[in-house]
Amino acid sequence: MAFTQAANVVERIVGHSDNTSITTDVSNYDNEYGMETGDKILATTWQGKNKNVGVIPQLEKGDVLGHECCGVVERVGPEADRVEVGQRVVQYSQFDRTNGNKIENAMYGKRTAGMFGYSHFTVGFAGGQAEYTRVPYGNVNLLHIPLDVPDEKALYLSDVVATSWHCVVDTGVKKGDVVGIWGAGPIGQMCAEFSFFYGASRVILIDGGDAAWRLDYVKTKLPKLEMISFTDLLRGKSVTSRVKELVTGGLDVALQCAAGEYAKGWTHYFEQMLGMETDTSELLN
């Protein structure tokens, strides 16, 4: 919490770069952009440490969360001639030329695009866990949902499908490869599907603990999938040694789909608390 507040103060001092093409930092309107008026809407907002997610720097009290959403167009701006009121749409979670945050640029050497519902670290766009969401560049940032596609399927186009697809494509999975996937959540499940789509000869999905049930679930969808539950391994045997037993010469591709923001050791824990973390190998270890 202290780091988040400090980061917000620093950003106000150093200001933003002039590379953005739209007004940013409008997650809520109790600021220089005006006061909140009219009827209140239901929304999931960040209210402080231990009240909701808190690992993302530069959250401010009242910020609306949620970066994956779909819904119905209620109102359009004067330049949004590709979308109409009443259309069902799903939105991207990022936009180009919308992030002028100098702190992010200093920490990572580059900027991500602006993101819905993350924080002012990614320029504070209000998120989608709300009755209404403002969508910058709605003309190109909204995909029309066909009538025969339910919301429960269309929703994944906002992030999960794209994340999984690029995970497989960017690592170059090709015909005949043996692929290992750490994490059997939605991303890992779709990466398994896409790996087979690109011709992988074998896919080994790795998970365990309280999430071990997901392995059995995915097996019902992809019968040729192989699985390793790390909680079922004999004492002294590691996932790595089990993989080597199953695959002569080792994996061709390894995909990390086990999520992030997870501290296993004290060093990483304090890095998170102080907002000093960059990348960690703990998930793979």
Side-chain angles (χ1 to χ4, degrees), residues 10-120:
V10 171
E11 187 194 359
R12 292 188 184 98
I13 294 173
V14 301
H16 277 181
S17 299
D18 59 0
N19 67 320
T20 57
S21 56
I22 196 169
T23 301
T24 61
D25 290 296
V26 285
S27 183
N28 58 67
Y29 287 88
D30 187 12
N31 50 39
E32 64 267 32
Y33 300 109
M35 299 294 292
E36 297 174 356
T37 60
D39 295 334
K40 292 185 179 295
I41 66 171
L42 294 175
T44 302
T45 62
W46 188 77
Q47 295 296 323
K49 184 177 179 182
N50 296 327
K51 300 295 184 182
N52 209 307
V53 291
V55 296
I56 304 169
Q58 287 194 249
L59 281 165
E60 295 182 5
K61 188 174 182 178
D63 284 350
V64 182
L65 304 174
H67 69 283
E68 297 170 288
C69 55
C70 61
V72 177
V73 176
E74 293 284 340
R75 187 182 300 173
V76 297
E79 298 180 13
D81 55 10
R82 289 186 61 253
V83 292
E84 299 176 358
V85 173
Q87 284 182 331
R88 292 172 60 241
V89 293
V90 58
Q91 64 190 45
Y92 292 66
S93 63
Q94 300 186 22
F95 343 89
D96 289 336
R97 296 187 297 117
T98 53
N99 189 353
N101 188 294
K102 290 183 178 180
I103 297 177
E104 185 181 19
N105 199 53
M107 287 180 66
Y108 297 117
K110 60 180 181 181
R111 298 180 183 90
T112 63
M115 300 182 192
F116 282 112
Y118 252 75
S119 75
H120 298 268

Side-chain angles (χ1 to χ4, degrees), residues 205-219:
L205 189 60
I206 302 153
D207 211 321
D210 294 337
W213 65 270
R214 298 189 298 195
L215 295 171
D216 296 326
Y217 170 78
V218 186
K219 184 73 171 179

Side-chain angles (χ1 to χ4, degrees), residues 194-236:
F194 293 147
S195 293
F196 282 129
F197 176 84
Y198 273 97
S201 60
R202 299 171 64 188
V203 177
I204 302 171
L205 189 60
I206 302 153
D207 211 321
D210 294 337
W213 65 270
R214 298 189 298 195
L215 295 171
D216 296 326
Y217 170 78
V218 186
K219 184 73 171 179
T220 66
K221 305 296 181 181
L222 298 171
K224 58 182 177 179
L225 187 72
E226 300 172 57
M227 303 179 296
I228 296 176
S229 174
F230 57 76
T231 50
D232 293 339
L233 296 177
L234 298 175
R235 185 178 298 276

